[in-house]
């Protein structure tokens, strides 16, 4: 029997207040309580994981206080326990929490996510430019994720702009929420 991707997302309980310890504890709880064995395999860190500015090479930078060893050790921890790591970004210039979004940085961000071992991208829609081409930006992120060579589940959200129910699946999103 096939099920949709199942797991846990940090947002509804912790908002922007996330860190590696919280994710490790959540992973251990998923394993200890048997949820992983019932198919709940994703641990998704939502908004607030990065610094407020990109680095000199325009890459997203994990917050060194919240993630002192970066994101890769978190992904490794998940994988060692039979879980998958999800991360949050946004199609806009800034995320909902006012961190850097992936607008016009899709390829560099997808490369970072893949190099860290991320398995899932929750892709939101805050702060999207009024004159931006919504469909093209989502298609660009889809292509960027595929170009990494790593299988990353693309979970898209765009609040219904430009009738996404007509095109979101065809551009490569695995999941869509509105």
């Amino acid at each position: 029997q096939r099920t949709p991707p199942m797991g846990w997302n940090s947002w509804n309980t912790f908002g922007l207040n996330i860190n590696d310890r919280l994710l490790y504890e959540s992973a251990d709880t998923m394993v200890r309580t048997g949820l992983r064995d019932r198919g709940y395999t994703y641990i998704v860190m939502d908004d607030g994981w990065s610094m407020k500015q990109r680095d000199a090479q325009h890459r997203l930078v994990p917050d060194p206080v919240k993630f002192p060893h970066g994101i890769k050790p978190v992904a490794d921890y998940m994988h060692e326990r039979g879980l998958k790591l999800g991360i949050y970004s946004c199609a806009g210039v800034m995320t909902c929490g006012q961190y850097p979004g992936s607008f016009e940085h899709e390829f560099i961000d997808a490369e970072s996510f893949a190099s860290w071992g991320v398995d899932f991208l929750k892709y939101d829609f805050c702060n999207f430019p009024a004159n931006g081409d919504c469909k093209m930006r989502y298609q660009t992120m889809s292509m960027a994720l595929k170009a990494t060579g790593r299988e990353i589940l693309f979970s898209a959200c765009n609040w219904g702009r430009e009738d996404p129910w007509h095109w979101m699946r065809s551009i490569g999103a695995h999941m869509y929420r509105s």
Side-chain angles (χ1 to χ4, degrees):
Q1 174 183 0
R2 295 189 67 192
T3 61
M6 300 186 303
W8 176 82
N9 181 293
S10 63
W11 183 255
N12 288 332
T13 302
F14 299 100
L16 300 172
N17 301 314
I18 58 173
N19 58 46
D20 59 356
R21 188 180 85 270
L22 172 70
L23 296 175
Y24 297 147
E25 290 171 2
S26 299
D28 292 342
T29 298
M30 295 281 273
V31 172
R32 186 181 69 255
T33 61
L35 287 169
R36 178 203 58 198
D37 296 336
R38 289 179 177 86
Y40 292 86
T41 57
Y42 288 93
I43 300 285
V44 181
M45 69 171 109
D46 214 287
D47 202 357
W49 61 267
S50 76
M51 296 294 292
K52 293 275 188 168
Q53 300 293 322
R54 291 176 176 271
D55 69 12
Q57 290 76 42
H58 307 286
R59 293 193 179 279
L60 292 168
V61 179
D63 184 314
V65 173
K66 295 177 178 183
F67 298 91
H69 306 289
I71 303 301
K72 177 123 179 60
V74 178
D76 292 345
Y77 192 91
M78 301 303 158
H79 298 154
E80 290 165 4
R81 285 152 184 77
L83 298 167
K84 298 175 182 177
L85 179 66
I87 201 164
Y88 172 94
S89 191
C90 188
V93 295
M94 294 174 68
T95 69
C96 301
Q98 304 302 308
Y99 293 84
S102 291
F103 186 85
E104 295 185 341
H105 292 90
E106 292 90 351
F107 279 89
I108 197 164
D109 290 355
E111 288 173 12
S112 293
F113 302 152
S115 73
W116 296 336
V118 168
D119 305 290
F120 181 107
L121 174 61
K122 177 184 173 184
Y123 205 52
D124 215 338
F125 194 64
C126 287
N127 299 299
F128 192 82
N131 63 348
D133 183 333
C134 172
K135 183 177 178 182
M136 183 192 64
R137 301 284 21 134
Y138 279 85
Q139 189 165 26
T140 300
M141 180 52 87
S142 177
M143 290 185 308
L145 292 170
K146 289 175 185 161
T148 68
R150 180 171 182 78
E151 190 173 319
I152 299 174
L153 193 145
F154 184 24
S155 177
C157 170
N158 89 328
W159 308 352
R161 182 148 165 206
E162 296 181 27
D163 301 329
W165 46 89
H166 293 297
W167 52 264
M168 192 63 85
R169 180 91 172 147
S170 69
I171 60 94
H174 299 104
M175 297 170 53
Y176 166 72
R177 69 184 177 85
S178 177

